Amino acid sequence: MSGTRRRQVGNEERRGRLARRQLRAVGTCEEVADALVALHATDPATVFLTVAARLREPGDGVGALEEALYGETGSLVRMLAMRRTMFVVGRAAAPGVYAAAGRQIAAKERKGLLAFLAEGGGWDEAWLEDVEARVRAALDAHGETSGAGLSKLVPELREQVLVAAGKPYEARQNVASRIIRTMAAEGRIERRRPAGSWTSSQFRWANAEPLPDVPVAEARAGVVKAWLGAYGPGTAADLKWWTGWSLTEVRKALAAVGAEEVLLDGDAVGHVLPGDAGPSADAPPPAATLLPALDPTPMGWQERDWFLPREHRASLFDRSGNVGPTVWWGGEVIGGWAHRADGTVAWRLLADRGARAADAVEAAAERLTAFLAGGGVTVTPRFRTPLERELSA
């Protein structure tokens, strides 16, 4: 964009874009997934709370999302993708996401698995291929099956490897989880309805249909196009962090989609889709939204100061950079929340936005309390943060 004046997109406008594109109420689970590109799924509860926070009728969200994930013609699928993180994506988008990010991760998983088996038990690639064939045959014969069930049907999955040999914490580990995880990463099997409630991670497994092949460059351009549509403007560093790619790979994908440059507050260069650099529509009236831990919106950028003040990070993030439950007013984070053992949702504001905002947050917390009570679950994030721990006590 040399010689062309970049338009300034300030923090206020960015917050307005965020609220309009990512926090608006929609009608279906699929619309939520499309609006956010990919739903963080490391913690199963996150997916359901992410969707419920954005549905016009959240009371129907659990059943609708379970049908989208586990129904015969499920429209959403779990997969290991960007940053070796579990996501839920639209089934139509899955081939591109896999080619752009998942395939490379799956290759690393297989390489690590082969080393793990060779060092721990002397098993080679031929042995692994035979076990994998037995797993697929068992799923063909018995249908959806838990990991424990597969271990009964395929005895080789019960083999054990000694890990951390000679260390005080040495232990024997079944090979089942590593083999099943690698097969899932490669798209050969997929997670199905878990045992227990929607917060459970005890998934059943089923054979998966092979994903259509997509050229890597085309797939990466598609992922970047979707990200810019949802999260733009963002910097190349934001995209590098979110995708887990190299900066060179990010720049090639930005060039492929014809991304335009804008100037962000602080003089950083941001990128938007072609034609998206102009003034945005007016921001919607601010509304209170309670987002779960690891929600895609606060995890969408590496640089978050424009919507989440740096002084609040110690309260809202764990030491590994995982965000906890957050309270939003419009396009900015103003506090955090937690689900208590008595079923209530407790919250605390870290920024004062007036009585109207506080009243709206209280009403949103009451709605979330009712939603969680209807599901009969208590939600404790997998990665706990200081404010969440304090509020849940």
Side-chain angles (χ1 to χ4, degrees):
M1 206 173 192
S2 177
T4 303
R5 182 179 177 84
R6 301 184 182 101
R7 179 175 173 271
Q8 182 85 29
V9 179
N11 291 344
E12 184 175 354
E13 182 176 342
R14 293 183 76 184
R15 290 191 290 268
R17 288 183 181 227
L18 183 158
R20 188 171 60 256
R21 296 178 181 182
Q22 298 202 19
L23 300 180
R24 63 188 177 90
V26 297
T28 68
C29 308
E30 293 81 3
E31 287 179 274
V32 176
D34 288 344
L36 298 171
V37 183
L39 310 180
H40 273 261
T42 303
D43 187 336
T46 294
V47 183
F48 288 86
L49 295 176
T50 290
V51 169
R54 296 167 171 89
L55 286 180
R56 295 190 193 96
E57 300 294 338
D60 301 329
V62 171
L65 184 52
E66 288 182 327
E67 180 63 24
L69 284 167
Y70 311 125
E72 276 193 41
T73 57
S75 54
L76 301 176
V77 62
R78 277 184 169 85
M79 66 185 334
L80 198 64
M82 289 72 68
R83 305 189 312 282
R84 198 174 169 271
T85 297
M86 190 63 62
F87 286 95
V88 165
V89 300
R91 195 169 287 274
V97 173
Y98 179 72
R103 184 186 293 126
Q104 185 177 16
I105 291 167
K108 291 180 180 178
E109 289 288 312
R110 176 156 293 272
K111 182 178 179 181
L113 173 59
L114 286 168
F116 171 76
L117 294 173
E119 293 169 10
W123 299 296
D124 61 11
E125 189 169 7
W127 181 88
L128 175 59
E129 289 176 354
D130 180 64
V131 174
E132 290 171 329
R134 290 170 183 266
V135 168
R136 288 183 59 83
L139 291 173
D140 275 338
H142 298 274
E144 297 180 12
T145 306
S146 68
L150 282 173
S151 292
K152 292 179 181 178
L153 295 168
V154 184
E156 291 86 350
L157 291 176
R158 299 200 296 270
E159 295 283 4
Q160 293 188 328
V161 166
L162 183 65
V163 295
K167 303 286 181 63
Y169 47 88
E170 77 173 23
R172 290 202 167 273
Q173 185 179 101
N174 287 347
V175 302
S177 61
R178 291 285 296 266
I179 292 174
I180 291 171
R181 186 175 71 197
T182 298
M183 293 181 71
E186 294 172 337
R188 299 163 69 189
I189 61 176
E190 63 182 12
R191 292 163 178 83
R192 306 298 290 168
R193 192 182 302 272
S197 75
W198 49 267
T199 63
S200 170
S201 59
Q202 300 300 310
F203 294 103
R204 297 178 177 90
W205 298 92
N207 282 324
E209 292 295 322
L211 293 172
D213 191 39
V214 180
V216 174
E218 176 186 330
R220 286 179 175 160
V223 167
V224 165
K225 182 177 180 181
W227 188 89
L228 290 175
Y231 297 88
T235 66
D238 288 328
L239 259 171
K240 177 180 181 294
W241 176 82
W242 189 85
T243 58
W245 304 340
S246 70
L247 195 55
T248 297
E249 290 165 341
V250 166
R251 286 170 174 162
K252 285 181 179 178
L254 285 168
V257 301
E260 297 178 7
E261 293 181 350
V262 296
L263 196 62
L264 307 177
D265 285 356
D267 294 331
V269 174
H271 303 270
V272 295
L273 286 174
D276 195 31
S280 302
D282 291 340
T289 309
L290 273 58
L291 297 185
L294 295 177
D295 185 89
T297 294
M299 295 296 287
W301 299 265
Q302 182 182 45
E303 172 52 56
R304 304 178 176 96
D305 288 357
W306 56 277
F307 68 85
L308 195 164
R310 191 172 293 268
E311 59 267 26
H312 300 331
R313 287 193 187 180
S315 297
L316 297 172
F317 284 79
D318 71 6
R319 293 181 179 179
S320 298
N322 299 301
V323 70
T326 48
V327 174
W328 292 69
W329 179 243
E332 65 172 333
V333 175
I334 63 169
W337 63 273
H339 193 205
R340 288 178 168 163
D342 65 2
T344 60
V345 170
W347 53 275
R348 180 182 299 164
L349 299 185
L350 301 175
D352 184 0
R353 293 296 179 265
R356 179 171 164 238
D359 290 344
V361 172
E362 176 61 28
E366 290 174 358
R367 290 193 297 271
L368 182 54
T369 295
F371 172 81
L372 293 169
V377 298
T378 299
V379 173
T380 302
R382 180 165 296 183
F383 304 107
R384 306 196 67 182
T385 50
L387 184 56
E388 186 274 331
R389 284 183 182 275
E390 183 181 346
L391 290 174
S392 64

